[in-house]
Amino acid sequence: MPQKMGKNDFFLLFALAIIFIIFFTFFYLFEVKEGKSIIVTVNGKEYGKYELATNQSIKIKYNGKVINELQIKDGKASMQSATCPDKLCVKQHEISKKNETIVCLPNKVVVTVVYDDVNNGDNIDAISK
């Protein structure tokens, strides 16, 4: 004869359901999205936007001189060369996920992955709307 469920059994099922909801809510809110493009800034000003889907090499210039060279290949961006003395930006890993960055502090170059399309032009986030 099957046993009936008691108070403790219902409590256990309720607790497991709450844990399940919290677990999936956490992963839904903090999911890591692949970026669609990158934004390059030099000295705090936007230098350019580039699609990660297009393989290319970008020579970043400041005051007429090439200070960094960025490569986009297979949907990932990486710094290939820099004129800074420590070259830490060149040693950073490739980036492709939303909000990942490569920073070259001496040259004031920041490369950030964004989820928006380059051609979209609408970089307003949900909070700004």
Side-chain angles (χ1 to χ4, degrees):
M1 194 162 164
Q3 284 186 330
K4 289 188 177 183
M5 291 180 62
K7 274 191 208 179
N8 289 339
D9 294 327
F10 282 114
F11 179 73
L12 178 63
L13 285 175
F14 181 73
L16 288 174
I18 295 296
I19 291 170
F20 179 79
I21 290 169
I22 291 171
F23 180 77
F24 281 101
T25 302
F26 177 79
F27 279 105
Y28 176 76
L29 291 176
F30 297 105
E31 84 178 282
V32 177
K33 293 182 180 180
E34 288 291 324
K36 292 186 178 182
S37 56
I38 58 169
I39 296 177
V40 178
T41 58
V42 179
N43 203 21
K45 296 179 184 169
E46 188 174 305
Y47 182 83
K49 296 179 185 178
Y50 307 92
E51 290 186 18
L52 285 171
T54 305
N55 291 348
Q56 56 189 311
S57 181
I58 301 142
K59 294 184 187 298
I60 302 168
K61 296 179 182 179
Y62 187 70
N63 290 335
K65 297 179 182 177
V66 175
I67 55 172
N68 291 72
E69 185 175 349
L70 181 72
Q71 180 182 31
I72 299 174
K73 185 176 180 184
D74 300 329
K76 297 179 180 182
S78 63
M79 198 66 73
Q80 294 298 301
S81 66
T83 59
C84 58
D86 58 10
K87 308 239 187 296
L88 290 177
C89 57
V90 177
K91 297 174 187 172
Q92 291 181 27
H93 67 87
E94 297 175 323
I95 58 173
S96 63
K97 299 193 180 354
K98 182 181 172 188
N99 294 329
E100 285 186 320
T101 60
I102 296 175
V103 179
C104 181
L105 282 177
N107 291 343
K108 299 178 184 171
V109 174
V110 178
V111 180
T112 305
V113 178
V114 293
Y115 188 69
D116 299 332
D117 287 321
V118 170
N119 299 326
N120 186 3
D122 181 19
N123 288 331
I124 299 173
D125 61 7
I127 295 171
S128 300
K129 290 181 181 178

